[in-house]
Amino acid sequence: MLNDPPNDEISAQRLLGLPPIVSGNTRLLVLGSFPGAASLARQQYYAHPQNHFWKILQAIWPASPLEISVDSYEKRSNWLLDRGLGVWDVYASCEREGSLDAAIRQAEVNDFASLIRRCPQLRGVAHNGGESFRHAKFTATLGLPVYKLPSTSPANASWSFERKLTAWREVVAAAGLL
């Protein structure tokens, strides 16, 4: 070994999140916690093939086919925006090894107040999972309804796809996007 530091001296790398997918027509913003390793590597929200995010939204809006492939990210992003849905994360940056929310350290919260100026039609914020919802106090200051959604992550195996879909459909309907 060439002067490798002991394991307890190795720190997690500082990671930067992804820019929001929003427009002036965004009415519901879905906030994750922070992109997983697959999403960061591809620079795409919900890029892990086992994540239910895209599949749930396709089931909510089945009349509008969605191409779910790595090459179609711009199309998928526009598909969301066309329906009034935006995507962002609670954390702008953090230190983390792996993809689990439990491994997030030294997190910096995104500037949600600036989002109101970019999204004048915003009518609600939905937190995708428990880690994101822990920061509902920040999004509640926007004066909008705040919803807690079950995580679409494959780590959330205690919720079936159908159960997740039902919860997500209720929030999308409450935001007037159905």
Side-chain angles (χ1 to χ4, degrees), residues 26-30 121-126 142 144-147 175:
T26 299
R27 294 185 313 259
L28 178 64
L29 178 66
V30 173
Q121 293 187 39
L122 193 60
R123 299 294 176 260
V125 176
L142 300 175
L144 302 169
V146 175
Y147 306 95

Side-chain angles (χ1 to χ4, degrees), residues 10-16 34 93-97 105:
I10 296 174
S11 64
Q13 179 182 0
R14 187 87 191 158
L15 303 170
L16 296 177
F34 192 78
S93 66
C94 69
E95 292 178 5
R96 183 188 66 205
E97 290 188 34
R105 303 284 182 264

Side-chain angles (χ1 to χ4, degrees), residues 1-69:
M1 289 200 302
L2 300 173
N3 296 335
D4 286 338
N7 286 339
D8 61 347
E9 291 181 24
I10 296 174
S11 64
Q13 179 182 0
R14 187 87 191 158
L15 303 170
L16 296 177
L18 302 175
I21 298 173
V22 293
S23 74
N25 296 322
T26 299
R27 294 185 313 259
L28 178 64
L29 178 66
V30 173
L31 289 174
S33 54
F34 192 78
S39 293
L40 288 174
R42 292 187 182 109
Q43 290 293 290
Q44 299 180 3
Y45 283 103
Y46 303 103
H48 192 287
Q50 298 304 313
N51 192 295
H52 287 152
F53 179 82
W54 297 105
K55 293 172 189 161
I56 284 172
L57 294 177
Q58 178 64 56
I60 289 172
W61 292 300
S64 306
L66 173 63
E67 182 182 340
I68 301 178
S69 71

Side-chain angles (χ1 to χ4, degrees), residues 110-132:
N110 270 314
D111 178 10
F112 300 115
S114 71
L115 199 63
I116 291 292
R117 292 185 294 279
R118 293 174 65 183
C119 303
Q121 293 187 39
L122 193 60
R123 299 294 176 260
V125 176
H127 290 271
N128 184 359
E131 178 65 22
S132 173

